[in-house]
Amino acid sequence: METNNPDWRHSVMPAVFTWLKESKSGTLEIDLDATQKYAADILKVQGKGGSRMGGLVGSGTLGENSYISVEQRLSLLKAFSEVAKEYNVPLISGAAAETKEELAKIIEGLATVGVDTVMIMPPKTKVIPSDDEMYDYFELAEATARNIGVTIMPYNNPDAAGYHAISTDLLRRISTLPNVTALKISTIDVSIIETLILENRDLKVLAGVDSVTVFAGLAGACGGITGVGAIFPKASVTMQEHVLNGEWAEANKISQALNSLSYLDAQPLLMEYLKLAMGIHHNDIAGGLRTYGIELTQQQIDDVQARYNLAKERLGALDLL
């Protein structure tokens, strides 16, 4: 199979879920077969314009990353790499550490299991680092990635608890490092994207919050990473087709149809919520509720069900299921 676009950054890419199963002892373990199948199923889907997802994002926030061991994660990413190679798309995954030296080791480990681009989150430190300290952290990450033949994507997620915001000035500096392939901006404040693009029209920015995909495109984002698109890939790919063509009214219709679910992508329990929605979509609510994360209340489960039903109804009217 061929990729949709010679430049995968001009596409939308699914942040896929890690499917779990109960072991014989009753504990939860990663179901690699199911996880690979669902990832492949998403990559098979075409938008109305004929394009597909341009990459595969594995073992991220939506993939139980905060809860699994290093060994589990590398095994999972190796399985994702097989799927990515089959569909000729890059495999993307994230990395963060307290020190730049730790980060370099993580990047080296990810490359050994087939990760092509590493999303680099800010340092996991209690004290907010200075811009110079932050730059040194990203600079070593870039040099490490370049030496082993992978690229990096600095990841600014200022709306999420626990992530240090990367200042706009620093984003400008690190975007010019030779092996930075793009920036990922996960915030509802799309003016950050617009500011960066106004100063550098060649800069590649990927949006990371489903509820503002269209607005990020208007601001200059060339593509995006989606959680909701893992549930409704046809809708997500078609919306990106309209964004790339500047067909804003058509793109906005799809954004509005997805609105009830996209809202969940910006919530603290986004992984638990969207994974349940994925389980509902595949008639496997029990599977969708299997997570290493937080157990949802019945009220939360009912809310996700209602939001999923509304999105499905709206997308059905647009022939996007």
Side-chain angles (χ1 to χ4, degrees):
M1 294 186 181
E2 296 182 354
T3 49
N4 310 317
N5 188 303
D7 188 341
W8 56 267
R9 296 168 297 182
H10 292 269
S11 73
V12 65
M13 289 151 276
V16 293
F17 306 96
T18 299
W19 224 246
L20 304 178
K21 63 182 179 181
E22 289 188 23
S23 67
K24 292 180 179 179
S25 63
T27 60
L28 289 180
E29 61 182 28
I30 296 174
D31 188 335
L32 290 177
D33 290 339
T35 301
Q36 284 183 308
K37 177 185 181 300
Y38 284 130
D41 286 346
I42 294 165
L43 294 178
K44 291 175 186 176
V45 175
Q46 289 183 304
K48 285 189 173 182
S51 67
R52 294 186 174 92
M53 297 283 185
L56 181 63
V57 183
S59 184
T61 300
L62 294 181
E64 312 272 347
N65 179 48
S66 299
Y67 302 99
I68 60 178
S69 68
V70 172
E71 292 75 17
Q72 285 176 308
R73 188 172 190 225
L74 293 178
S75 175
L76 175 62
L77 286 168
K78 187 174 182 180
F80 278 135
S81 179
E82 295 173 5
V83 178
K85 287 177 181 176
E86 180 182 355
Y87 289 89
N88 192 27
V89 297
L91 176 62
I92 301 163
S93 196
E98 286 193 21
T99 69
K100 60 186 180 182
E101 291 81 12
E102 289 178 80
L103 180 66
K105 291 180 180 179
I106 293 172
I107 294 170
E108 290 169 350
L110 294 179
T112 65
V113 291
V115 172
D116 300 292
T117 294
V118 184
M119 294 186 296
I120 306 294
M121 279 78 85
K124 294 195 300 184
T125 54
K126 292 182 180 179
V127 178
I128 300 175
S130 68
D131 272 10
D132 285 341
E133 290 171 329
M134 192 98 79
Y135 181 82
D136 289 344
Y137 174 89
F138 282 100
E139 186 180 41
L140 182 59
E142 184 276 331
T144 302
R146 181 158 32 96
N147 288 338
I148 57 178
V150 300
T151 58
I152 69 165
M153 186 189 311
Y155 180 9
N156 191 28
N157 195 353
D159 298 336
Y163 286 96
H164 299 311
I166 307 173
S167 70
T168 303
D169 284 342
L170 182 57
L171 286 168
R172 291 188 190 98
R173 289 177 65 193
I174 61 180
S175 70
T176 62
L177 290 168
N179 220 37
V180 171
T181 189
L183 301 178
K184 181 184 177 186
I185 308 293
S186 293
T187 174
I188 58 175
D189 181 7
V190 297
S191 68
I192 296 173
I193 298 173
E194 186 174 68
T195 298
L196 292 166
I197 295 297
L198 282 171
E199 296 179 7
N200 181 1
R201 295 288 183 180
D202 295 326
L203 182 64
K204 299 297 186 290
V205 176
L206 300 182
V209 181
D210 279 309
S211 59
V212 296
T213 297
V214 176
F215 308 106
L218 274 166
C222 60
I225 293 175
T226 174
V228 171
I231 304 165
F232 291 115
K234 183 178 179 180
S236 185
V237 173
T238 302
M239 182 166 63
Q240 182 65 19
E241 290 171 344
H242 289 309
V243 167
L244 292 174
N245 290 329
E247 297 162 353
W248 304 112
E250 294 303 310
N252 202 41
K253 286 179 185 177
I254 302 173
S255 178
Q256 290 175 352
L258 287 167
N259 175 271
S260 59
L261 271 188
S262 296
Y263 166 83
L264 299 176
D265 190 50
Q267 304 307 306
L269 297 183
L270 72 161
M271 186 266 285
E272 290 86 350
Y273 290 154
L274 292 179
K275 189 173 187 182
L276 172 58
M278 178 75 161
I280 294 169
H281 188 64
H282 288 279
N283 297 313
D284 184 12
I285 292 180
L289 285 170
R290 289 193 189 107
T291 173
Y292 292 127
I294 294 172
E295 183 176 348
L296 298 178
T297 66
Q298 189 60 51
Q299 182 178 359
Q300 289 170 324
I301 293 170
D302 292 343
D303 181 58
V304 171
Q305 177 77 67
R307 289 178 177 278
Y308 168 84
N309 291 344
L310 182 56
K312 184 177 181 181
E313 178 184 349
R314 289 169 170 169
L315 291 173
L318 297 176
D319 187 29
L320 285 172
L321 294 177

